[in-house]
Every structure is written in C-alpha cells, then in structure tokens.
Amino acid sequence: MDREIGAVWELRRQGTVLARITVTGEDERALVGTFAAEPEFSEVAPLFLAQCALGSLSEPEITDTLVRVWEGLYDSICQSMVLVGPSGPLEGFELNIYDTDGELPQPGREAVAQFDWGYRDHFAWIAERRNRFRRN
C-alpha cells in the first residue's frame, strides 16, 4: 500500500503538514514521488538542503567530520518530523528533494522527492569502508 503508485505520504512536524509526496515510482533503493511543499516547509528547508548537499558528495570527499554532521542533520530531522504513509507513521527516513533547477522546492511548486527509511548509518558505512582501505 505504501509503495503503490499514487500513494500519498505527508511530512509532518508536531501535527502540521509540511509537504505531501505522491508516489510515482520506485528506483533500486527508494520510492520516488512528486513533492508539494506547504508554506511551513520553509521553516525546515535548511535542514534538508544541508543533508542533500552532503548526500551528493562522492565517497573520497566524505570525512569523519562530515559523517558526524550528516548524522546530526539526520537525527534533527527524524526527531522533529515524521513521514506518514498510508500504513501510518514512519520514523527514521532519508528524504532527498529537488525541483527542476536542483534546488529545494518552494510552496506552490512541485519537485521530485526520493525517500526511504533506515539509512542513518549510510554515511558511517562509507567512511568506515574508506578508512579501512586507506589504512592498508
């Protein structure tokens, strides 16, 4: 039900809907959908902008410090917001949002969203793998 095309997810903070995501498909590891921001999304947009910027780094650019920054952003997002799908709330999610210009969406403009859950350790895994191979 949550992964079906047309399913609607809501990004909420303290009961307020910040955005809606309508599922349009799936890629190899995440759901893809149309993201429609509400005016209140602008209050949290900087968190997603920073997380998306870090998420676009290539593996050699990721340092232990950046891993800690990314994890802090992830924790801030997941502790203050919830993604609610047809089956109910989902805690612990990664949400990447881009409009046609590669920027975060503004209210009234649609964007593309890619999201999935359980990726808190993704950056740590990259850094650990990099460090393990760098030492040898």
Side-chain angles (χ1 to χ4, degrees), residues 45-70:
L47 292 171
F48 288 98
L49 182 61
Q51 187 182 40
C52 288
L54 288 174
S56 67
L57 294 175
S58 65
E59 190 173 320
E61 298 173 294
I62 299 172
T63 65
D64 293 336
T65 300
L66 290 178
V67 168
R68 287 189 296 279
V69 170
W70 190 90

Side-chain angles (χ1 to χ4, degrees), residues 11-130:
L11 179 64
R12 297 181 190 168
R13 184 177 67 170
Q14 299 172 353
T16 300
V17 176
L18 303 173
R20 288 182 178 78
I21 304 164
T22 303
V23 175
T24 58
E26 211 173 336
D27 72 7
E28 57 197 45
R29 71 170 187 102
L31 292 176
V32 178
T34 303
F35 183 91
E38 297 294 330
E40 294 81 4
F41 179 74
S42 63
E43 298 169 14
V44 299
L47 292 171
F48 288 98
L49 182 61
Q51 187 182 40
C52 288
L54 288 174
S56 67
L57 294 175
S58 65
E59 190 173 320
E61 298 173 294
I62 299 172
T63 65
D64 293 336
T65 300
L66 290 178
V67 168
R68 287 189 296 279
V69 170
W70 190 90
E71 288 175 341
L73 288 166
Y74 181 94
D75 289 342
S76 293
I77 290 168
C78 291
Q79 289 171 5
S80 64
M81 290 170 254
V82 64
L83 200 53
V84 181
S87 297
L90 174 70
E91 296 178 13
F93 59 91
E94 181 179 2
L95 175 59
N96 297 301
I97 314 154
Y98 304 96
D99 73 6
T100 55
D101 299 322
E103 302 290 329
L104 280 172
Q106 300 299 315
R109 288 181 59 194
E110 288 188 346
V112 174
Q114 181 181 38
F115 65 102
D116 212 332
W117 37 97
Y119 286 108
R120 183 189 192 288
D121 298 326
H122 180 71
F123 254 57
W125 175 80
I126 291 172
E128 179 183 316
R129 191 175 80 174
R130 183 203 66 237

